[in-house]
Amino acid sequence: MRTFRYLYGPVPSRRLGRSLGVDLVPPKVCTYDCIYCQIGETTEKTLLRKEYTPVGEVLEEIRAFLSKGNPSIDHFSLSGSGEPTLHSKIGSVIQGIKNLSPVPIAVLTNGSLLSEEEVRRDLLRADIMLPSLDAVSSEAFMRINRPYKSISIEKVIQG
């Protein structure tokens, strides 16, 4: 059985059915350090958008997964070990997946970067956006999400 570096699942999801996860950042590279994160503490809290995982390698793994025949998945889910919108070429990943498969693409995000026009433009081709919002007061936001220092709840809500 082949082991993938950037893919996980398919996993059952109440919202998305059988979902194949696509992990675009290394474990715990995130804009937040949420107190409840199932992955654990954030090791790199950042706003730096860059190509954390090579687009070509991610798409090659998806191509290999799809070549197994008729994989039973309902969605590709860009999520995983950190904040997927930190990947500077997430738009290229989305387009590449669309070139390989008609399966819808969902982006699970904490929403911290959605106020940036470039991020919103990168996400336009996704079929589903699932941003989270844990708190609307600054005090609760800081206590629960422990964001990168320049992120405010007002900016997140604006996004």
Side-chain angles (χ1 to χ4, degrees), residues 115-130:
S115 63
E116 295 184 21
E117 185 177 337
E118 180 181 20
V119 173
R120 291 192 310 272
R121 189 174 35 248
D122 286 346
L123 299 175
L124 282 175
R125 292 184 186 101
D127 299 289
I128 301 170
M129 286 293 308
L130 295 169

Side-chain angles (χ1 to χ4, degrees), residues 34-51:
C34 298
I35 60 173
Y36 61 81
C37 186
Q38 67 187 31
I39 307 295
E41 287 186 36
T42 295
T43 54
E44 185 180 343
K45 194 183 321 183
T46 185
L47 293 181
L48 178 64
R49 294 189 77 219
K50 67 179 185 178
E51 188 177 359

Side-chain angles (χ1 to χ4, degrees), residues 38-72:
Q38 67 187 31
I39 307 295
E41 287 186 36
T42 295
T43 54
E44 185 180 343
K45 194 183 321 183
T46 185
L47 293 181
L48 178 64
R49 294 189 77 219
K50 67 179 185 178
E51 188 177 359
Y52 287 94
T53 57
V55 172
E57 290 179 26
V58 171
L59 295 177
E60 184 51 45
E61 283 195 4
I62 291 169
R63 191 175 290 110
F65 176 84
L66 293 170
S67 73
K68 291 181 180 181
N70 185 11
S72 178

